[in-house]
């Protein structure tokens, strides 16, 4: 659906060259909600501006629905752009126009008939849950309502692709959630492919199927959200993942441990990581009942991503050495990643 082939993009200003994208390869399939995450300046907005060809690549090809954008005439580009909607962090609504007029703009540009525009705008207002706001002005709306209008405008042309550049960054957590739910509904109901840029991992966690992590113009890691969250490889990815999945023992627990257990040597400490199937099995129960070890759960954290449970747990095992070793073997056999932690390592 959307393909980047060896795409590089340089900007030049006053003789200074910025390499905003460096040899990017990425495939976004039809129907995906594809998240692009990275710190400020990583090149995320540049990447989406290439999808609607607001920017041209310095090198490489951007291919949309099997058409190489470099090779299209202006007319063909206009057609492709009509099938791409975009929403922004600051909504970009025209302040002097009513909500109705803002949503109608793309349809007026297409020279649609008045009755068709009227019907479509009211349909869209209903869809985004603001059927009663047609005659309001943007300044009379809350941030969340403005973004709903931005979304309605982006959907006016029945796009195949929706680009969201930090669309929830100016909103509070509850409003963010409602906008993400709306984007999910758009994806599911209309099979619109969504490319969603963010610097917040919880946004990716909530609705994305796939994610690409960007740093300094490069994609450093990409794949299914559950795989990237479960096994982040690059340090930057690990930093992002740690903002939503807490896999460190809280400091209070560490202090307690050092005080109470640090001196004893018949207790071993482990970090267990669960992903998907392994998270739904009663493995800890099995250790207690069958492996005859005492399990002390120090800290556990679980998240649900794309209907998969992902979690980490810190436990102490107490018992006979062979039973503990047997327990570890059992856990690994059941897909749990087990790492032993030395008591002396944790302070
Ligand atoms: N029009 C431009 N002219 C010159 N340099 C630009 C232009 N647009 C972006 N850049 C530079 O390209 C790099 C990537 O910018 P980009 O806006 O794509 O980053 P971003 O990941 O979207 O960042 P943010 O999270 O802050 O929005 C930055 O170094 C930026 O300064
Ligand atoms: Mg940006």
């Amino acid at each position: 659906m959307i393909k980047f082939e060896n795409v590089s993009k340089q900007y030049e200003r006053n003789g200074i060259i910025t390499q905003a994208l460096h040899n990017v390869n990425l495939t976004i399939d039809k129907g995906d909600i594809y998240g692009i995450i990275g710190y400020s300046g990583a090149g995320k907005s540049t990447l989406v501006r290439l999808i609607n060809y607001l920017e041209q690549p310095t090198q490489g090809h951007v291919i949309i629905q099997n058409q190489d954008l470099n090779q299209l005439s202006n007319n063909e580009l206009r057609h492709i752009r009509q099938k791409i909607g975009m929403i922004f962090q600051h909504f970009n609504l025209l302040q002097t126009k009513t909500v109705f007029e803002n949503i109608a703009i793309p349809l007026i540009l297409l020279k649609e008939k008045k009755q068709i525009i009227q019907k479509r705008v009211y349909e869209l207002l209903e869809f985004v849950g603001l059927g009663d706001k047609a005659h309001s002005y943007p300044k009379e709306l809350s941030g969340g309502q403005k973004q709903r209008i931005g979304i309605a405008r982006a959907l006016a042309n029945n796009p195949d692709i929706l680009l969201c550049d930090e669309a929830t960054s100016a909103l509070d957590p509850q409003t963010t959630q409602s906008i993400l739910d709306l984007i999910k509904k758009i994806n599911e109901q209309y099979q619109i492919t969504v490319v969603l840029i963010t610097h917040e991992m919880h946004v990716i966690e909530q609705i994305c199927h796939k994610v690409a992590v960007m740093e300094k113009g490069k994609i450093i890691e990409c794949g299914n959200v559950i795989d990237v969250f479960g096994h982040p490889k690059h340090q930057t990815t690990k930093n992002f993942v740690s903002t939503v999945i807490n896999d460190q023992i809280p400091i209070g627990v560490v202090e307690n441990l050092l005080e109470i257990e640090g001196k004893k040597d018949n207790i071993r400490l482990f970090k267990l990581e669960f992903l998907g199937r392994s998270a739904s099995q009663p493995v800890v129960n099995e250790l207690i009942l069958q492996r005859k070890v005492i399990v002390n759960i120090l800290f556990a954290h679980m998240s649900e991503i794309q209907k998969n449970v992902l979690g980490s747990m810190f436990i102490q095992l107490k018992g006979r050495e062979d039973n503990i070793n047997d327990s570890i073997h059992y856990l690994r056999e059941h897909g749990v990643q087990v790492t032993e932690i030395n008591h002396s390592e944790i302070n």
Side-chain angles (χ1 to χ4, degrees), residues 11 13 18 20 38-47 49 55 166:
Y11 292 107
R13 180 158 297 169
T18 307
Y39 294 121
S40 188
K44 308 180 295 296
S45 295
T46 303
L47 192 81
R49 285 201 295 264
E55 301 280 0
E166 302 281 2

Side-chain angles (χ1 to χ4, degrees), residues 17-42:
I17 291 176
T18 307
Q19 185 84 31
L21 292 178
H22 192 85
N23 210 18
V24 168
N25 287 289
L26 184 70
T27 301
I28 299 174
D29 292 326
K30 184 171 166 44
D32 270 347
I33 304 184
Y34 210 119
I36 314 278
I37 190 162
Y39 294 121
S40 188

Side-chain angles (χ1 to χ4, degrees), residues 103-137:
I103 299 173
I105 291 167
L107 299 166
I108 293 170
L109 291 175
L110 276 183
K111 300 190 170 57
E112 288 286 4
K113 288 201 184 81
K114 265 199 170 145
Q115 298 96 306
I116 292 178
I117 295 179
Q118 178 93 359
K119 183 168 172 284
R120 182 80 183 126
V121 170
Y122 278 103
E123 248 170 42
L124 287 161
L125 276 170
E126 284 304 322
F127 181 79
V128 300
L130 292 176
D132 56 342
K133 296 287 184 197
H135 304 295
S136 302
Y137 284 87

